[in-house]
Amino acid sequence: MIFKIIFVVIFLLNKQGENKVLNQDLSPAASARGQDTTTTTNTTNETEKKTVLYPIKQDGKYGYIDRSGKLIIKPNFEEAQEYKEGRALIKKNGKYGFIDVKGSMVVEAKFDTAHSFSEDRALVGTNKKYGFIDESGAEVISPRFRNAYDFSEELTVVQYDVKYGYIDKNGKEAISPRFMYASNFLEGYACVVFEQGIAGYINKKGETVLNIETFPDDTDIFPCTSFVDGVAFIKKLDNNQKLKWTLVNIEGKQVSPLQFDRISTFSEGLAAVSIGEKWGAINKLGNLVIDTKYDYVDSFYEGAAAVNIGEKWGYIDASGKEFIEFKFDNALEFRNGMAKVQEGKKWGYIGLDGKYVWKPTD
């Protein structure tokens, strides 16, 4: 089993640590119900943005169901992602585009790569260059970057030839490209790595607000995470010269012992951590609230987290109580009361009661 470690880092930067296999081929999908797939310039209304649909795969194609398990958009796409801001990323004829909640194509499937919408912008790639479109499909930032990430707090990380900097939603340079690596802003701060091999946090003016001691050449692991709930993880050498993670506040004060081998970001006040090979969870005070006894603990959403013991997955609540039995071959987080789970090679959806809303299909 391959495990997932969540870091808020730049798009296309090698993902840090080991990644849990989330899905067979999560990406995008296109039109449905046989509707006209001509690109329109309709904007997303508030009702559409609140509509919740879930991608399913049936007979080799992707479509969408609602919370009750009713098929809303028939399987007609090569790939399909979850809806964000009223748009879903889909793949059709080998290219990526976007559909609305009715299954109508609103952004033509013409991109080599794409990300879901974030803050009314979607990252798209053509000929290995990246830019951004708005919800109508209009190009607002031309594809000129080597790498880029989704927008967060009105800014995003972009890579020029080598170094990373930040731009605003109109493509204007906000912080000059002078970093070897950089994460997006959360809670007003971003983790960056300077050319000298020193890591630290900057504010939106590009000013360094916290330096982290020089870290070893550890290119497989990004040395710090974004701040969530006022705390962040940084990686340091312990007394035995082994790299470990610890929790710090924005002043740089250590909140937890320097003892974690792997970590995730905070979600709903908890963060999964491992000590040795076993996983548990801590609160933002650095206290271990779920014992390190699992082979993996995913992030908490809607009061639940997927956990792994041996070859099977189940769910625990925020107190550590196991409330959905360990019977799945893979399991993802709950979103709007439903979670995607795998049995064999097939995926389905369950509710918080553990019962199937959509039985596994291929």
Side-chain angles (χ1 to χ4, degrees):
M1 179 63 67
I2 302 174
F3 296 125
K4 174 179 71 176
I5 298 178
I6 303 174
F7 295 99
V8 183
V9 293
I10 47 179
F11 176 56
L12 294 182
L13 178 64
N14 289 333
K15 290 186 179 179
Q16 317 307 328
E18 304 163 297
N19 277 345
K20 168 186 161 190
V21 176
L22 294 181
N23 205 338
Q24 306 108 316
D25 49 356
L26 258 178
S27 282
S31 82
R33 299 180 184 275
Q35 290 129 322
D36 182 7
T37 59
T38 303
T39 301
T40 71
T41 57
N42 293 338
T43 56
T44 316
N45 61 40
E46 290 305 311
T47 300
E48 287 178 316
K49 287 184 176 181
K50 294 177 181 178
T51 299
V52 179
L53 297 176
Y54 303 84
I56 55 95
K57 190 177 183 182
Q58 195 173 50
D59 299 325
K61 294 289 186 179
Y62 285 90
Y64 290 86
I65 60 173
D66 64 15
R67 295 181 190 180
S68 70
K70 179 182 177 181
L71 188 65
I72 302 299
I73 300 174
K74 74 174 186 178
N76 193 35
F77 312 117
E78 295 159 22
E79 297 176 22
Q81 287 191 357
E82 294 178 358
Y83 277 84
K84 293 185 178 180
E85 300 186 5
R87 300 285 186 257
L89 180 63
I90 56 83
K91 187 178 186 180
K92 188 171 186 177
N93 298 324
K95 296 290 185 178
Y96 293 97
F98 294 85
I99 58 174
D100 63 17
V101 296
K102 296 179 181 178
S104 299
M105 187 73 75
V106 290
V107 176
E108 180 186 355
K110 62 180 181 179
F111 303 106
D112 296 334
T113 58
H115 267 203
S116 296
F117 275 89
S118 176
E119 298 188 1
D120 301 320
R121 296 287 186 268
L123 184 153
V124 294
T126 303
N127 297 323
K128 296 183 180 180
K129 292 292 184 180
Y130 299 91
F132 293 84
I133 60 173
D134 65 17
E135 62 182 19
S136 73
E139 181 183 286
V140 289
I141 300 173
S142 61
R144 60 184 186 272
F145 302 107
R146 182 178 176 183
N147 280 337
Y149 194 58
D150 301 331
F151 273 90
S152 176
E153 298 186 359
E154 302 295 316
L155 299 177
T156 190
V157 177
V158 293
Q159 184 184 22
Y160 294 78
D161 291 334
V162 176
K163 294 183 180 180
Y164 293 86
Y166 295 80
I167 60 172
D168 66 19
K169 292 168 73 173
N170 296 315
K172 181 181 178 181
E173 184 180 288
I175 300 174
S176 62
R178 59 181 187 271
F179 311 109
M180 301 309 296
Y181 300 105
S183 71
N184 261 343
F185 279 93
L186 281 179
E187 299 187 4
Y189 304 105
C191 176
V192 297
V193 178
F194 300 98
E195 191 170 15
Q196 301 86 348
I198 297 174
Y201 289 90
I202 60 171
N203 59 25
K204 290 184 178 180
K205 295 180 180 180
E207 301 166 335
T208 301
V209 294
L210 175 62
N211 276 316
I212 300 173
E213 64 187 65
T214 302
F215 63 92
D217 184 13
D218 185 25
T219 55
D220 291 333
I221 297 293
F222 204 70
C224 44
T225 69
S226 297
F227 275 88
V228 178
D229 295 334
V231 291
F233 287 100
I234 64 171
K235 199 172 184 83
K236 300 171 61 177
L237 286 172
D238 66 9
N239 293 333
N240 297 317
Q241 297 300 295
K242 293 183 178 180
L243 286 166
K244 301 286 184 179
W245 291 96
T246 186
L247 198 62
V248 298
N249 59 24
I250 192 56
E251 286 78 35
K253 182 179 178 181
Q254 196 165 305
V255 178
S256 71
L258 183 62
Q259 64 176 343
F260 305 120
D261 293 289
R262 291 169 291 176
I263 52 91
S264 72
T265 52
F266 275 88
S267 178
E268 299 187 356
L270 297 174
V273 296
S274 78
I275 300 175
E277 295 300 317
K278 295 297 183 179
W279 286 78
I282 63 172
N283 60 22
K284 63 182 181 180
L285 299 177
N287 299 324
L288 193 67
V289 294
I290 295 174
D291 290 338
T292 50
K293 62 180 181 179
Y294 296 103
D295 293 328
Y296 186 74
V297 176
D298 208 344
S299 296
F300 280 84
Y301 290 97
E302 301 183 10
V307 293
N308 168 239
I309 296 178
E311 297 298 320
K312 294 299 180 181
W313 291 79
Y315 289 86
I316 61 174
D317 64 20
S319 70
K321 179 182 177 181
E322 298 171 3
F323 72 99
I324 295 179
E325 65 179 295
F326 292 75
K327 62 179 181 180
F328 305 109
D329 295 309
N330 206 342
L332 307 186
E333 70 271 9
F334 274 92
R335 298 287 189 177
N336 296 292
M338 285 171 45
K340 196 169 187 177
V341 296
Q342 183 181 23
E343 289 196 42
K345 295 183 178 180
K346 298 182 177 182
W347 291 83
Y349 285 93
I350 60 171
L352 283 163
D353 59 1
K355 296 179 180 179
Y356 274 110
V357 178
W358 178 270
K359 292 185 177 180
T361 56
D362 63 358

